[in-house]
Amino acid sequence: MRDEIVAAVKAAGVVGAGGAGFPTHVKINASVDIVIANGAECEPLLRADQHIMAEQSTKLILGLKTVMLATGARQGYVGLKRKYEEAVSNLQREIIEMSENTIQLFFLPDIYPAGDEQVLVYEVTGRIVPEGGIPLQVGVVVANVETLVNVAHALEGKAVTDKYVTIGGAVRKPVTLKVPIGMKVQELIDLAGGSTVEPYVVIDGGPMMGKVIDPNSPVTKTTGGIIVLPVDHSLVTTKNTPWQMIVNRAKAVCCNCLACTEACPRHLLGHSLEPHRVMQAIGKGQIGESEIYSRAFLCSECGACDTYGCTMGLSPRRVNAEIKKQLTKQGIKNPQHSKPQQVRTNREYHLIPTKRLIARLGISTYDVNAPLSAQEMIVREVKLHLSQHLGAPAIPIVKAGDNVARGDLIAVIPEGASLGANLHASISGQIVMVDNNCIGIRRV
């Protein structure tokens, strides 16, 4: 049974919809005792996952059951927040109607980052994922709720062609839409009534971990939110700060107050990551302190340290990210693999309430509903990146001039690649462009 499920998920091109795009057929080809559906949606302003849980509750539970069957798991959980009232009601009804005594809802605290898979695993199971490890090492598989809906669709032979996306921030009508993958982000902003500010910046993802992108960029399999902000907003300024300025500030300003470390979710789980020590080492020019620097590998880059912890405008997150890049270029791998037996004794006092985070970020004005629209998307043209996932880019099997139907396979996993994902046409039309990066389709 596992082989059939894995094959169907692989054929459909399912990847992690809420993170880096890890190929799902690889993740579920394992043996665990618990599967967790991640419905935390801890990034401020994003609403897509809660709408998916409410509108696609049947498919979500079917997808969760399918992954439990593939992995041999005895227990399944949907991790979500109690405030998602419609989702809670619909999921509870589905569980009762399906007589599923192996699946239950788990109500998470309204904190950031409750959706970090290591935080989620601890909250739901009490198990601590080892340093530099993954949930599989403690007998758990975590999958985003949209990913599980796509798993259910895969068993019906339906490929991944659409993405649920929240468009929020400085737009006239914040909304959540189901759109074809490859649709231009600017078109989404227009569907949300356009920007209320000029000029503006677009963030792909949430305000904490999202990246600044060009409005002409296409939606991908991992796009969960599009946030529009004024160009001079503090969040935008922080994300656009040059690296040299980041490191100069770290050397000149950091007073080692420990606030960044006390806010770090991985440190609070018992991991040896201490952002203030990395900052201290940079300030003292201790470039040779490999043991200190290698702890940067444990950073999830959630931003709790700089956006919430530091009051001096420093960015331990950016420092950790750069150190990881430099060490990786030198061929150095993460040597930190300790297995904490318990979380920090003061952890509960350092958890970050979502409302307080929103206020700290200066985005309370934008914390409004973004209802799910039933509007049918008629898109003239899409641009599909060949790399929307971890692993090797997909290899095109079509050429310019070919006609394709929505759902047709247009690019495949390279032969011999350990990680990769198939790619399918998200609209019907004609292939107008194929290069090393993407495939363009125009409706005819």
Side-chain angles (χ1 to χ4, degrees):
M1 181 62 70
R2 174 189 291 178
D3 291 344
E4 288 85 350
I5 293 172
V6 169
V9 171
K10 181 179 182 180
V14 183
V15 303
F22 192 89
T24 304
H25 68 275
V26 177
K27 175 178 282 192
I28 67 175
N29 191 16
S31 296
V32 299
D33 56 354
I34 294 175
V35 177
I36 303 174
N38 188 351
E41 196 159 50
C42 61
E43 276 270 19
L45 308 188
L46 301 192
R47 306 285 186 260
D49 284 354
Q50 52 195 275
H51 287 309
I52 291 168
M53 289 186 286
E55 297 290 325
Q56 299 287 333
S57 53
T58 301
K59 292 295 185 184
L60 170 55
I61 298 301
L62 288 174
L64 179 54
K65 287 176 61 178
T66 299
V67 174
M68 290 172 64
L69 185 61
T71 58
R74 303 188 308 271
Q75 184 67 50
Y77 295 95
V78 180
L80 75 170
K81 297 174 182 176
R82 198 178 292 273
K83 67 181 181 180
Y84 304 155
E85 295 178 1
E86 185 179 2
V88 170
S89 176
N90 291 353
L91 287 168
Q92 286 177 331
R93 184 183 66 249
E94 287 297 334
I95 291 171
I96 291 171
E97 290 181 356
M98 293 184 188
S99 299
E100 277 302 329
N101 56 11
T102 59
I103 295 177
Q104 65 187 75
L105 304 188
F106 186 94
F107 296 113
L108 299 162
D110 194 5
I111 60 170
Y112 179 84
D116 174 275
E117 65 177 14
Q118 296 197 15
V119 173
L120 181 66
V121 167
Y122 175 73
E123 292 291 342
V124 176
T125 71
R127 303 174 186 179
I128 302 174
V129 177
E131 292 182 348
I134 57 176
L136 182 63
Q137 292 174 259
V138 292
V140 181
V141 159
V142 176
N144 173 266
V145 291
E146 185 172 5
T147 304
L148 292 174
V149 169
N150 288 336
V151 167
H153 286 153
L155 296 188
E156 301 171 350
K158 297 178 181 177
V160 178
T161 58
D162 300 290
K163 189 75 180 72
Y164 286 87
V165 183
T166 297
I167 304 95
V171 293
R172 289 182 175 82
K173 297 178 181 179
V175 67
T176 300
L177 301 169
K178 183 181 180 182
V179 304
I181 294 168
M183 184 177 179
K184 189 181 295 187
V185 166
Q186 183 60 57
E187 293 180 277
L188 301 188
I189 296 171
D190 294 340
L191 288 169
S195 174
T196 60
V197 296
E198 194 70 44
Y200 61 85
V201 169
V202 179
I203 295 175
D204 181 350
M208 290 293 283
M209 298 184 72
K211 310 295 183 184
V212 174
I213 62 167
D214 188 305
N216 291 315
S217 301
V219 172
T220 72
K221 292 181 180 182
T222 61
T223 302
I226 296 299
I227 308 298
V228 176
L229 292 173
V231 70
D232 59 352
H233 193 281
S234 59
L235 264 174
V236 176
T237 303
T238 299
K239 290 180 182 294
N240 286 334
T241 302
W243 163 246
Q244 194 56 52
M245 186 177 293
I246 292 288
V247 73
N248 287 344
R249 287 178 180 174
K251 291 178 180 179
V253 180
C254 181
C255 63
N256 295 117
C257 67
L258 306 187
C260 57
T261 294
E262 291 175 342
C264 174
R266 296 295 173 88
H267 173 78
L268 294 175
L269 286 175
H271 291 191
S272 61
L273 176 59
E274 297 175 295
H276 78 278
R277 291 197 64 195
V278 179
M279 299 291 279
Q280 184 180 53
I282 283 185
K284 293 181 177 180
Q286 296 172 321
I287 304 300
E289 297 285 350
S290 59
E291 192 275 332
I292 294 176
Y293 278 99
S294 66
R295 294 185 189 182
F297 278 115
L298 305 180
C299 176
S300 66
E301 299 178 40
C302 72
C305 58
D306 53 18
T307 310
Y308 191 84
C310 185
T311 60
M312 307 292 286
L314 306 181
S315 182
R317 165 182 36 186
R318 290 278 300 275
V319 170
N320 284 336
E322 183 64 26
I323 289 173
K324 285 192 287 185
K325 288 180 184 178
Q326 292 180 8
L327 293 179
T328 300
K329 285 181 180 179
Q330 296 171 30
I332 298 174
K333 296 182 179 180
N334 175 30
Q336 308 291 342
H337 299 292
S338 295
K339 299 178 180 179
Q341 298 303 304
Q342 60 184 19
V343 299
R344 307 287 173 182
T345 55
N346 61 349
R347 178 177 183 267
E348 64 179 302
Y349 303 110
H350 291 283
L351 300 177
I352 302 173
T354 303
K355 281 293 184 183
R356 191 176 298 173
L357 175 64
I358 289 172
R360 184 74 63 86
L361 294 173
I363 54 174
S364 297
T365 303
Y366 307 127
D367 186 27
V368 298
N369 291 330
L372 179 63
S373 171
Q375 178 181 353
E376 183 179 359
M377 295 292 108
I378 305 298
V379 180
R380 182 171 180 270
E381 190 168 352
V382 295
K383 182 179 290 186
L384 297 145
H385 283 172
L386 298 173
S387 184
Q388 303 185 32
H389 52 268
L390 288 180
I395 302 297
I397 58 171
V398 293
K399 62 183 185 302
D402 289 349
N403 292 317
V404 293
R406 181 174 178 268
D408 283 354
L409 183 65
I410 58 174
V412 298
I413 301 171
E415 186 175 350
S418 58
L419 288 178
N422 289 335
L423 186 62
H424 302 78
S426 59
I427 63 172
S428 298
Q430 187 176 70
I431 304 293
V432 293
M433 178 192 66
V434 178
D435 62 24
N436 293 330
N437 298 311
C438 61
I439 296 175
I441 306 175
R442 183 176 298 146
R443 191 179 297 277
V444 292

